[in-house]
Amino acid sequence: MSTSANRNSAPRRIAMTPGARRALDAASRLFYEHGIHAVGVDRIAAEAGVTKKTLYDRFGSKEQIVVEYLTGRDERWRAFLDERLAAAPPAPAEHVLTVFDASRAWAEANGARGCSMINAHAEIDDPRHPAYAVITAQKAWMLELFTSLVREVLAPGEATASETADRLARTLMLLHEGALVAHGLGVFPDAFGLARDQAREVLDTYA
């Protein structure tokens, strides 16, 4: 299953010059490590070796840099998950569990401070901010993914029962998002492993 399908309306993007790419790379690292509000345009420009004028000429605003940061991270996550799902065992339940495995591998390589979307939402709660739609669309997409995978798990007679599919998908989503938060906070080791085990128990009731 390709996770690229059913993408919500895409945010406005900009063409990347080499200087803009350096700035975005620097901003992405700084935003994730220190928080969006804590990092100003001056610091991004200094880290990237460009001028503030270059930043504003290319991006127009700090808000657009945030949009590019979050959208780019989301695109990389979706591509990463696509590869994992494509290589997953054929059993539908294994596709669901692969999402948890992929999240654990992604977090180990890219997410020591937890989910970038959850972290960003803690700072950006105004729906008028252009990055707000990126954050909420990513989580809505994850729920759509779980719902789609769940429909493959359910027996043919249950597949038309949208209420059952919706409830199961939401349960899996809660396990997944809880693991993201617990991992970011370092509450206990291998939060994704525990969430995966719980997801398997839930799925087994539909086997």
Side-chain angles (χ1 to χ4, degrees), residues 125-142:
D125 59 1
D126 184 352
R128 295 170 297 181
H129 192 293
Y132 185 88
V134 178
I135 298 166
T136 56
Q138 201 277 341
K139 294 306 180 184
W141 175 82
M142 283 299 299

Side-chain angles (χ1 to χ4, degrees), residues 86-169:
E94 292 300 320
H95 292 169
V96 175
L97 298 178
T98 294
V99 178
F100 290 86
D101 292 335
S103 289
R104 175 166 53 188
W106 173 270
E108 289 172 351
N110 305 284
R113 298 181 65 83
C115 174
S116 57
M117 299 295 170
I118 293 174
N119 295 346
H121 190 263
E123 298 190 74
I124 301 171
D125 59 1
D126 184 352
R128 295 170 297 181
H129 192 293
Y132 185 88
V134 178
I135 298 166
T136 56
Q138 201 277 341
K139 294 306 180 184
W141 175 82
M142 283 299 299
L143 181 57
E144 288 179 5
L145 174 63
F146 276 120
T147 303
S148 177
L149 294 175
V150 159
R151 291 187 183 281
E152 297 178 5
V153 172
L154 294 176
E158 295 175 303
T160 57
S162 60
E163 185 175 341
T164 300
D166 289 346
R167 183 176 181 84
L168 178 53

Side-chain angles (χ1 to χ4, degrees), residues 62-81:
K62 178 182 174 181
E63 286 78 9
Q64 185 62 34
I65 303 176
V66 177
V67 167
E68 298 290 339
Y69 154 60
L70 292 173
T71 304
R73 195 170 173 95
D74 181 36
E75 289 173 345
R76 291 191 298 276
W77 157 244
R78 295 190 194 205
F80 182 87
L81 183 53

